[in-house]
Amino acid sequence: MTQPIHKAIVPAAGLGTRLLPATKSQPKEMLPVGRKPVVQYVVEELQAADLTQILIITGRRKRAIEDHFDPDPVLLSALEQAGNEAVLAELAYIQRKSRFFYTRQSSPKGLGHAIALGADFVDNEDCVVALGDSLIAGEDPAAPLRAMMQAHRELKAAAVVAVEQVPPDEAHRYGIASIQGSEPPPGEPVAMTDIIEKPPRGTAPSTLAVAARYVFSPAIFEALARTLPDRQGEIQLTDAIKLLIQMGQPVYAWLLRPDQRRYDVGNFESYFRTFIDFALADERYGYLARQYIKAIAYEL
Ligand code: G1P
């Protein structure tokens, strides 16, 4: 029987150029969405899926990510002395049972190159990849990963890749998957027949966009090592997945269910949308946000 997966790689090395000046000196993964930075949602999702060893691929100007998951004894004892139990509870995420590992991608050579830096960490096991600028909303944000890991195990897959339907005029922004058949059932693995990274406008073979969560067997590292850089000199994870398919390895797409929405903070439009939805849904302050939006709605 295969071992349960317990390792995850979170690439968080991207420069965040589409979010300048907000990302001039802070990582985009640390932008707040409601009361937490984006990367905390990602880590909590991984922890809820029992992924206890987490490698974050960072880079220059990304040190705040390490600090965020590092216990701060001075802050903790100040809060304890003040008897500030409520705020202490907000910091409980640091104490959860997971180990963090960090390595840097020093030059922008692409997502595939960043993941390849995790090869020694993964050490010939299966692993999860969760992009650090994307979060999954829903009742149980870890549900897609749990189901994808189960499918990966049962099908002895080389890769199970989360996908979501996107409008045709947005397909050029994503990795786009082709599958067997036309309409994939949500929440079930479907064999992937091809994949292409950011197809030129109007040429996408489908509207199934890669949705920032992946489960891989170690074969992905072999494929990454054989993947050539694209025109921008970047090694794309999508191209390595394409190579897995060409090598005859079993690769599956897994369509998120309608209640499992993915948000990303890669540009201001999607960041604003993400912040607004999470602020409105906040269990503590959401009603204030909703009141405010209703009050100003007539001016919009
Ligand atoms: C990356 C992947 C792309 C995927 C997207 C999802 O692109 O390369 O295949 O669809 O994440 O967020 P990026 O957004 O980093 O350009």
Side-chain angles (χ1 to χ4, degrees), residues 55-129:
L55 170 68
I56 305 186
I57 314 282
T58 64
R60 231 161 281 126
R61 297 190 298 277
K62 299 277 184 171
R63 206 170 290 159
I65 298 176
E66 289 179 44
D67 291 342
H68 190 69
F69 295 106
D70 190 32
D72 179 342
V74 177
L75 175 63
L76 291 180
S77 73
L79 290 171
E80 267 160 24
Q81 271 168 25
N84 205 335
E85 301 299 328
V87 179
L88 275 169
E90 293 297 333
L91 296 177
Y93 72 89
I94 303 172
Q95 316 291 350
R96 297 208 182 104
K97 274 189 275 159
S98 34
R99 278 199 67 192
F100 291 94
F101 301 81
Y102 299 92
T103 194
R104 279 190 178 203
Q105 184 188 35
S106 302
S107 48
K109 292 188 186 156
L111 179 59
H113 175 265
I115 302 300
L117 295 174
D120 289 342
F121 163 80
V122 170
D123 194 19
N124 230 22
E125 295 179 25
D126 296 337
C127 71
V128 158
V129 168

Side-chain angles (χ1 to χ4, degrees), residues 18 28 111 131 133-134 164 173-176 195-198 209-214 236-238 262-264 266:
R18 280 173 288 173
K28 66 174 166 178
L111 179 59
L131 304 193
D133 65 356
S134 282
E164 62 187 338
R173 296 186 187 160
Y174 300 97
I176 297 292
I195 190 166
I196 178 169
E197 179 67 8
K198 303 197 176 86
V210 173
R213 298 293 182 269
Y214 314 76
Q236 294 301 339
L237 182 58
T238 300
R262 183 186 78 94
Y263 289 84
D264 79 66

Side-chain angles (χ1 to χ4, degrees), residues 171-178 192-200 203-206 208-210 236-243 245:
H172 62 284
R173 296 186 187 160
Y174 300 97
I176 297 292
S178 303
M192 198 188 285
T193 52
D194 200 3
I195 190 166
I196 178 169
E197 179 67 8
K198 303 197 176 86
T203 68
S206 83
L208 290 174
V210 173
Q236 294 301 339
L237 182 58
T238 300
D239 290 340
I241 298 170
K242 189 184 185 77
L243 198 55
I245 298 172

